[in-house]
Amino acid sequence: MISSLVTAFVVGGFICVIGQIFMDVFKLTPAHTLSTLVVLGSILDGFGLYEPLIDFAGAGATVPITSFGNSLTHGALAEAEKHGIIGVLTGMFEVTSSGISSAILFGVIGAFIFQKRKTTY
Amino acid sequence: MKKSIIVFLMLLLLGACSNEKEKVIFPADNSASLKPIMQKQETIHGYKSVINEENILVAININRFARFNKTKIEEKITKQIEKQFPERQVLVTGDQKIMWEVESIIDKKLKEEDLKKSIEKIKSLSKEET
Amino acid sequence: MVNTFGTLQFITKISIANTGIVAGPVEKDGPFAESFDEVLPLETEKNETNEQAHSRMIEMACQWAAKNGHTQLNNIDVLIAGDLINQLSPSNFAARSLALPFLGVFSACASSVEAIIIGSLLLESGNARTVLAGASSHHPAVERQFRYPLQYGAQKPKTAQWTVTAAGFALLEKELNDVPVVTHATIGRVIDGKQKNPLHMGAAMASAARDTIERHLTNTKSQMSDFDVIMTGDLGNIGISILKEMFQDENSGVILQDAGAQFYGNEPFFNAGASGAGCSAAVFFGQIYDQLKKGVFKRVLLVATGALLSPLTFQQGETIPCIAHAIECRMEKRS
Amino acid sequence: MDQQQFQKIVDEKNPKVPYFLNILKAFIVGGIICTIGQLLTFFYMRFFPFTEGTAANPTVATLVFIAMILTGTGIYKKIAQFGGAGSAVPVTGFGNAVISAAIEHKSEGYVLGVGGNMFKLAGSVILFGVLSAFVVALIKTILVSIGVISW
């Protein structure tokens, strides 16, 4: 169990390091960085590499935003395997991402309960 | 300071891999027949299994770095057991949750009817995706 | 009035009768806090939007300027104000409740000096007797328009500047004694230093500041050493060091100073320093005005710098054009 | 002074980005967030009927919930200034982008403000996620159907 925590830490941290390199070295904005990482996750899943990473690192691979690209691609591929080319579309519509739905839900709740804060430093 | 933390973490990582293979099989009959298959697996460091007339349920602890090939290992062991027991349904999984479920069945020492129900529950659990 | 390529010389004695400055809660810990007339305990009061708070701050600063100058708001002929928000809505809304003849000006962070220049011209031409001129910025309102939502976690680089919450207004009148006088003004040119990073505006604005200072010195036939201080608006720590490097004058190290770099002291949280229209307004009409009035400074050049970008233009990949306006203020010896 | 000279001064005066320190900070902050995620995964597996595969969903939702609390109380911004990509890349950063925009634009009402601006920062992530998933799946399906690779 502790080894799972350590691998989650190392793999998750490493994905963040890739993001930091995008931001610092290639001077990308956070939005560019995140979009690039999502595309990266989706490509990795195309090669069948992301699921093994999740098996290995657990939350270290499911928590970073790369897993969002992975889960969409995974859903599309799973349907495509069953129904051929049309499955690519239906598979993507089938996938529900808890990240997006929870962000929407908690975003509205957050807007409802939190007031603007005093600026501090 | 940083170095010592890294060393400590590495030790934890290695320590988790070096446990001896745990063998718990329940109910006891037929268990001997699983042993030779499981014993020769190099990628796992322990397993727990539950067997009744129709099903064989094996929860395995896969070594940390072999987890990349989790699906392949599961398939490999499933095939080997199926060869031995062609008349039964075999489920081999490296999932921690199933391991815990199997452990709880063993702890409770469930008998036929309840055992059957629990096994069905675990099987449906393992089929769920995302 | 003599005009030499953008430099105006005022014949009339354009006197800054008094000033009014209101700042936000974060600004009260800075080294200029003493010169503020009022510090808001909260940036926005309850049930108030950022923009409403912004206009309220402008109103308060105008009232302070009138009060300090011993006049009534309804004696003021023209109000000239600028800020950074779309369509100058905070200034417009403040002018709505102040009910004064109003001119809205925009030169980004150089608005304060632009307002003074226009006010001085109105006085010089004899078309007004009292003018209230100034500019303001409000951190939450500006940040949201130009950058990210306030609570969004984006790592700020060392070159980033912090928009101040402050409003500074000056009451301009003619022929007063014992107050600082605006003698010259140089209208800036829009200079493009080919900088693209919106989180590094100091570099973009430095070339505009240099152009304006150089033209002012040439056109008034003066040298850097003639001034007690040449204060730029909001170049920040890095921008001012770029500017000093560009002049390579032996005096530039001491005489050239930057309001933005000094605004928050040495607090590293603010990275390169302060920016915003309120930054130069609060410092010029606060500390610098007080020093002039006391006679510590005899002759200063105030150069407010503005980066003329919008979120739209830098996302479209445009460079950041910049402008700098300058006014020269003098304090004659007390009689 | 021409543009080249000016650019040279600017480059000279630009502060050096502490690459190594930033990367280390991102590693630590990102690692800690993922470790918390792993602990949550264990929690959901232990006490609820979730397997390793399905526990990721409640984990992500819980992390976004935590991100909401931290964003609303102004703590997430401070973590982000320290951690950089370490706090932006995990799903909490996605949550922070959505929630901060929602709180910020509340003043324009729930339909035009919150609804219209919620995804102004995070929308590109969704767009590129869906687009790349479509392209990758399409290419792979075509390659499989013409027999270049197998599933």
Side-chain angles (χ1 to χ4, degrees):
Chain A
M1 197 165 144
I2 288 169
S3 72
S4 304
L5 295 179
V6 174
T7 40
F9 183 91
V10 172
V11 172
F14 184 71
I15 296 174
C16 295
V17 166
I18 297 174
Q20 188 71 43
I21 290 172
F22 281 155
M23 273 157 69
D24 278 357
V25 182
F26 302 116
K27 309 279 173 217
L28 298 184
T29 64
H32 281 91
T33 308
L34 294 189
S35 305
T36 316
L37 283 173
V38 166
V39 174
L40 207 65
S42 146
I43 291 172
L44 279 178
D45 193 57
F47 288 108
L49 296 174
Y50 206 85
E51 286 297 308
L53 190 66
I54 293 178
D55 287 337
F56 174 62
T62 56
V63 169
I65 200 77
T66 38
S67 78
F68 176 59
N70 161 63
S71 67
L72 283 168
T73 314
H74 210 71
L77 282 175
E79 281 287 297
E81 207 172 342
K82 283 185 216 153
H83 306 298
I85 212 119
I86 200 76
V88 174
L89 278 176
T90 57
M92 264 187 340
F93 298 137
E94 225 169 61
V95 173
T96 49
S97 175
S98 54
I100 295 182
S101 37
S102 56
I104 293 176
L105 183 66
F106 294 133
V108 176
I109 294 174
F112 190 72
I113 56 176
F114 289 110
Q115 298 297 323
K116 280 194 302 284
R117 288 177 52 77
K118 191 181 154 191
T119 314
T120 49
Y121 70 93
Chain B
M1 182 61 198
K2 265 175 204 156
K3 251 184 201 164
S4 66
I5 290 173
I6 291 170
V7 170
F8 175 68
L9 292 177
M10 289 307 282
L11 281 178
L12 281 176
L13 196 67
L14 293 172
C17 303
S18 59
N19 288 343
E20 255 189 50
K21 289 188 186 180
E22 231 182 311
K23 288 146 276 174
V24 182
I25 297 173
F26 177 85
D29 61 312
N30 288 328
S31 62
S33 45
L34 269 183
K35 208 173 170 183
I37 300 173
M38 302 312 288
Q39 205 63 4
K40 68 180 183 206
Q41 305 299 332
E42 281 165 4
T43 46
I44 63 168
H45 62 268
Y47 71 97
K48 289 185 181 177
S49 63
V50 174
I51 299 174
N52 71 357
E53 277 81 45
E54 294 122 35
N55 294 295
I56 296 180
L57 240 174
V58 187
I60 50 175
N61 276 328
I62 304 174
N63 291 342
R64 180 48 47 194
F65 287 98
R67 283 184 72 86
F68 278 114
N69 301 318
K70 184 179 156 215
T71 347
K72 280 180 195 155
I73 292 168
E74 286 167 358
E75 274 171 18
K76 195 178 123 201
I77 299 177
T78 310
K79 268 183 196 152
Q80 287 174 353
I81 297 177
E82 269 173 348
K83 230 184 204 171
Q84 202 104 6
F85 305 91
E87 74 284 2
R88 295 188 206 190
Q89 289 190 329
V90 181
L91 176 67
V92 178
T93 172
D95 202 305
Q96 185 67 39
K97 173 68 179 174
I98 311 281
M99 175 61 93
W100 283 332
E101 289 290 317
V102 170
E103 272 171 5
S104 80
I105 290 180
I106 293 170
D107 285 349
K108 282 185 207 150
K109 294 199 163 47
L110 294 176
K111 287 277 145 38
E112 288 150 32
E113 267 306 294
D114 293 335
L115 183 64
K116 206 173 169 185
K117 264 188 208 160
S118 314
I119 290 176
E120 287 307 315
K121 199 183 106 194
I122 291 175
K123 278 167 79 178
S124 73
L125 198 65
S126 72
K127 275 189 196 122
E128 277 177 22
E129 280 173 13
T130 47
Chain C
M1 185 175 66
V2 188
N3 187 341
T4 347
F5 194 44
T7 299
L8 317 172
Q9 188 183 353
F10 300 114
I11 310 292
T12 332
K13 220 164 110 185
I14 313 288
S15 320
I16 306 177
N18 219 317
T19 60
I21 291 154
V22 177
V26 174
E27 286 68 25
K28 72 170 187 294
D29 298 329
F32 296 110
E34 278 175 20
S35 57
F36 299 156
D37 292 301
E38 189 170 346
V39 174
L40 302 172
L42 287 170
E43 269 165 338
T44 52
E45 277 175 9
K46 208 163 185 270
N47 300 326
E48 197 181 40
T49 64
N50 295 331
E51 288 71 20
Q52 282 167 345
H54 195 164
S55 3
R56 181 170 52 91
M57 191 172 70
I58 297 171
E59 284 165 37
M60 286 164 77
C62 291
Q63 275 153 4
W64 271 109
K67 194 179 157 199
N68 290 341
H70 305 293
T71 181
Q72 298 290 314
L73 267 176
N74 50 17
N75 290 337
I76 288 160
D77 292 330
V78 185
L79 167 67
I80 307 172
D83 59 65
L84 301 172
I85 306 299
N86 289 337
Q87 285 84 40
L88 300 179
S89 38
S91 298
N92 294 342
F93 281 55
R96 173 179 70 182
S97 46
L98 292 171
L100 293 173
F102 170 66
L103 285 174
V105 293
F106 182 80
S107 296
C109 309
S111 302
S112 52
V113 168
E114 187 186 352
I116 297 284
I117 294 175
I118 294 174
S120 308
L121 289 171
L122 281 174
L123 293 175
E124 174 97 356
S125 65
N127 288 314
R129 285 158 296 144
T130 45
V131 173
L132 200 51
S136 58
S137 59
H138 190 263
H139 178 80
V142 173
E143 204 67 12
R144 157 176 161 172
Q145 184 187 314
F146 283 91
R147 298 192 185 105
Y148 298 116
L150 271 188
Q151 295 305 332
Y152 179 58
Q155 201 173 26
K156 283 185 184 149
K158 286 268 177 293
T159 54
Q161 285 167 273
W162 178 275
T163 310
V164 300
T165 302
F169 279 81
L171 188 67
L172 301 178
E173 282 176 41
K174 274 196 278 190
E175 311 290 346
L176 293 186
N177 288 325
D178 295 340
V179 290
V181 178
V182 182
T183 56
H184 296 81
T186 298
I187 298 170
R189 294 194 288 182
V190 177
I191 303 283
D192 197 332
K194 302 275 188 293
Q195 300 296 307
K196 279 192 173 177
N197 186 356
L199 289 173
H200 190 5
M201 304 232 270
M205 294 190 291
S207 45
R210 179 180 190 272
D211 178 76
T212 302
I213 294 172
E214 205 170 50
R215 276 192 299 127
H216 188 88
L217 295 182
T218 321
N219 295 346
T220 56
K221 296 188 181 62
S222 48
Q223 286 171 345
M224 204 172 264
S225 49
D226 297 340
F227 292 90
D228 291 314
V229 65
I230 296 180
M231 198 86 169
T232 51
D234 51 356
L235 297 177
N237 292 332
I238 300 154
I240 189 68
S241 62
I242 291 172
L243 186 66
K244 281 176 183 172
E245 189 78 7
M246 285 166 93
F247 270 106
Q248 290 168 333
D249 190 312
E250 58 196 88
N251 298 312
S252 72
V254 188
I255 292 170
L256 275 175
Q257 287 187 31
D258 185 59
Q262 297 171 13
F263 199 86
Y264 291 112
N266 288 322
E267 174 65 49
F269 174 82
F270 299 100
N271 295 312
S275 71
C279 171
S280 48
V283 175
F284 293 172
F285 306 152
Q287 182 96 336
I288 302 284
Y289 177 79
D290 290 348
Q291 301 280 44
L292 279 169
K293 212 171 176 180
K294 277 185 211 151
V296 180
F297 293 152
K298 297 276 186 297
R299 188 179 175 192
V300 298
L301 184 63
L302 306 177
V303 189
T305 48
L308 304 171
L309 83 170
S310 81
L312 204 70
T313 59
F314 76 75
Q315 280 168 10
Q316 287 170 344
E318 292 270 357
T319 51
I320 304 173
C322 294
I323 195 162
H325 297 299
I327 47 170
E328 184 180 328
C329 294
R330 288 190 202 184
M331 182 68 194
E332 269 143 45
K333 283 204 181 94
R334 285 170 180 275
S335 48
Chain D
M1 179 166 290
D2 61 13
Q3 180 61 31
Q4 267 182 339
Q5 278 171 300
F6 172 62
Q7 193 58 48
K8 206 178 139 217
I9 295 174
V10 171
D11 292 340
E12 227 168 69
K13 293 285 173 188
N14 270 357
K16 297 269 175 301
V17 181
Y19 292 113
F20 180 74
L21 194 66
N22 279 358
I23 283 173
L24 189 71
K25 283 174 178 172
F27 182 74
I28 289 169
V29 172
I32 287 172
I33 292 174
C34 291
T35 310
I36 294 170
Q38 186 64 39
L39 284 172
L40 284 168
T41 307
F42 278 135
F43 169 77
Y44 281 112
M45 274 158 53
R46 194 83 190 132
F47 300 105
F48 297 92
F50 289 109
T51 61
E52 275 179 10
T54 52
N57 287 337
T59 302
V60 163
T62 313
L63 282 175
V64 173
F65 176 77
I66 296 171
M68 174 188 87
I69 304 288
L70 293 180
T71 304
T73 48
I75 299 169
Y76 204 86
K77 199 181 170 188
K78 287 174 189 164
I79 299 175
Q81 180 60 33
F82 177 80
S87 66
V89 171
V91 76
T92 45
F94 178 81
N96 169 250
V98 174
I99 294 156
S100 63
I103 295 175
E104 185 77 28
H105 289 277
K106 188 182 172 183
S107 63
E108 291 105 284
Y110 279 94
V111 176
L112 297 176
V114 177
N117 292 297
M118 201 172 200
F119 284 106
K120 76 174 186 181
L121 291 165
S124 59
V125 172
I126 300 174
L127 164 70
F128 282 100
V130 172
L131 199 66
S132 63
F134 178 73
V135 172
V136 167
L138 197 67
I139 291 174
K140 195 163 180 186
T141 312
I142 291 171
L143 287 181
V144 168
S145 63
I146 60 171
V148 180
I149 50 167
S150 62
W151 288 111

